[in-house]
Amino acid sequence: MDMAERGQSAETRYRMAFCALHTQIMGLAMGGDHIRQYGLSMANRDWDIAGFTDSLGRLGKPFDTGRVLVHRSIRIQEPYLVWDSGKTHDDEPRDLKPSKGVLEDFVKLWQGDAEAILRYARKHGVLMLDEEGKPSSHWIPRGREHLERWCLISRRACAVLNIAAALAQGKLGPAEDWNVIDSSLDASFPKSKNRSTPRGLSAARMHFQWELGVWAELGRITLSIRRDNRRNAWVTEIDFGSRLFAVLALQLLLTVADADGLYNCDGCKLPYARPRQFKRPKPGQSNFCPQCGRQAALRHADLRRKSRMRQARQLYGAGISVVGIARRLKAPPATVGRWVKPVRR
């Protein structure tokens, strides 16, 4: 990729690469059982070793924030997937939290058929592609998208995971996967006449970073803010614009980054990709990003302790026994006794 190509927008590079692969993907889709078997073996290669899957071999990261609107009226109208928002209240799109399996199910679609795509769309949503095959920047109440494009994007997501898994092990990655991303690349990344041009693994990682940038830019993932009454605070959260493609893009990025999932930090109140080596927080449990770290956790723990202490003293002053307070606050009676000791009735 030269300087002129590097300066192109992500949308332009996306369109050029996908159009060049149209014939290739159609050949794969009609290539028979041996092609499908190749795809099945490729879709699982090295993902476990790279740590992309969980203990049960499943892809996908949990999202603590973000929603997607899923149309109820979706149907096949060859060669398109067609959707609309319906005409009655019962037909209105569902507002759903993305499921963990949204990526794992998607990267298998290019090996399947139209019915598999239809089942997926009814469960997870549609891609909302425009007539040129680009992901839309906003949610669309009704429209259609070519089924070939679904196969194309599914295959490309699969290629991203295969290459990422190879790079994580110090390998260049399969040539057939690099060909899906950019058919003009030499997947051996040989030396160039220009000595300053990266080669080998350095060149592979550079091109792969550009590919991830395309997904990130086309995903158009932003932040929004809402009131969390349980925490009595305003919190930021990921805003997918109700679009499935944004979810898939973020799932890919989190998988490649070896993150456990996306969570809201109780310290800075911002979403963050939680490193996989960190223990996953339980529902309702406070958690903190690496930047806020242990100090923020200790501050919050101290604030919670002081709040419970104030509650205990108020209840004790109102005539409730130490045992009753301990039961109400779910704290050891000895601890409650120390909290209320200075209080006179």
Side-chain angles (χ1 to χ4, degrees):
M1 180 179 292
D2 58 25
M3 293 301 293
E5 290 174 311
R6 198 179 310 174
Q8 293 172 341
S9 69
E11 292 188 3
T12 301
R13 283 183 276 136
Y14 177 96
R15 186 187 305 115
M16 291 174 62
F18 275 22
C19 287
L21 284 166
H22 176 85
T23 303
Q24 176 189 359
I25 291 297
M26 288 307 296
L28 287 172
M30 298 183 292
D33 292 339
H34 68 287
I35 293 294
R36 294 176 187 276
Q37 185 59 43
Y38 158 76
L40 287 171
S41 62
M42 179 183 63
N44 294 296
R45 181 177 20 180
D46 293 336
W47 291 358
D48 293 337
I49 298 175
F52 292 169
T53 57
D54 61 17
S55 59
L56 298 177
R58 299 172 302 188
L59 275 173
K61 305 296 180 179
F63 286 158
D64 196 32
T65 64
R67 312 286 292 185
V68 172
L69 284 176
V70 179
H71 297 82
R72 295 181 188 272
S73 178
I74 307 175
R75 62 193 183 278
I76 296 293
Q77 211 172 71
E78 293 284 0
Y80 296 101
L81 185 72
V82 180
W83 73 91
D84 59 61
S85 296
K87 299 179 180 179
T88 67
H89 178 74
D90 293 336
D91 292 334
E92 290 183 357
R94 295 169 292 158
D95 183 26
L96 301 178
K97 179 180 178 181
S99 66
K100 185 180 177 182
V102 64
L103 178 61
E104 180 173 27
D105 295 343
F106 183 75
V107 296
K108 299 175 183 177
L109 289 179
W110 68 278
Q111 305 163 49
D113 54 19
E115 289 300 319
I117 294 175
L118 178 61
R119 288 193 298 270
Y120 180 93
R122 286 175 171 172
K123 179 179 179 181
H124 299 291
V126 298
L127 291 174
M128 296 188 192
L129 306 177
D130 62 20
E131 291 299 322
E132 296 180 337
K134 297 185 305 180
S136 172
S137 60
H138 56 277
W139 191 81
I140 305 173
R142 59 182 58 83
R144 68 178 190 176
E145 49 205 16
H146 210 293
L147 292 168
E148 294 173 13
R149 292 290 176 177
W150 274 76
C151 294
L152 195 63
I153 300 173
S154 170
R155 176 65 182 95
R156 187 159 181 162
C158 186
V160 168
L161 291 173
N162 288 337
I163 293 171
L167 292 176
Q169 300 173 65
K171 303 174 184 177
L172 292 177
E176 58 268 20
D177 290 313
W178 280 111
N179 190 45
V180 168
I181 288 177
D182 187 344
S183 58
S184 68
L185 279 176
D186 182 342
S188 66
F189 298 99
K191 290 183 179 180
S192 170
K193 294 181 180 179
N194 185 348
R195 294 184 178 181
S196 63
T197 301
R199 61 185 177 86
L201 275 175
S202 295
R205 292 188 179 113
M206 180 182 68
H207 283 279
F208 187 64
Q209 182 174 339
W210 288 338
E211 171 66 10
L212 294 180
V214 170
W215 284 89
E217 185 172 339
L218 292 177
R220 297 180 176 90
I221 304 160
T222 59
L223 294 178
S224 62
I225 190 167
R226 66 175 175 85
R227 184 69 180 177
D228 188 333
N229 294 324
R230 181 177 58 82
R231 299 181 182 181
N232 192 31
W234 291 97
V235 295
T236 54
E237 62 181 11
I238 291 294
D239 186 355
F240 296 120
S242 302
R243 296 171 298 115
L244 171 64
F245 189 90
V247 175
L248 294 170
L250 185 56
Q251 282 276 4
L252 271 180
L253 298 179
L254 289 175
T255 301
V256 171
D258 196 25
D260 176 65
L262 200 69
Y263 298 87
N264 267 332
C265 174
D266 286 296
C268 62
K269 308 298 182 184
L270 293 173
Y272 72 100
R274 191 174 179 86
R276 195 156 54 94
Q277 62 268 28
F278 285 21
K279 187 177 179 180
R280 183 176 297 176
K282 297 178 182 178
Q285 181 184 23
S286 297
N287 67 95
F288 302 89
C289 67
Q291 286 70 33
C292 291
R294 181 172 173 77
Q295 288 186 341
L298 291 174
R299 281 198 308 272
H300 277 248
D302 188 53
L303 288 173
R304 288 195 302 271
R305 181 184 62 82
K306 290 178 178 178
S307 175
R308 285 158 61 84
M309 185 184 297
R310 285 193 299 270
Q311 285 181 274
R313 290 177 177 177
Q314 290 171 358
L315 293 171
Y316 188 71
I320 300 176
S321 68
V322 169
V323 174
I325 297 171
R327 189 180 301 115
R328 185 174 299 189
L329 298 183
K330 297 180 181 179
T335 300
V336 174
R338 290 195 300 271
W339 288 347
V340 303
K341 190 174 182 179
V343 179
R344 293 183 180 180
R345 285 180 170 172

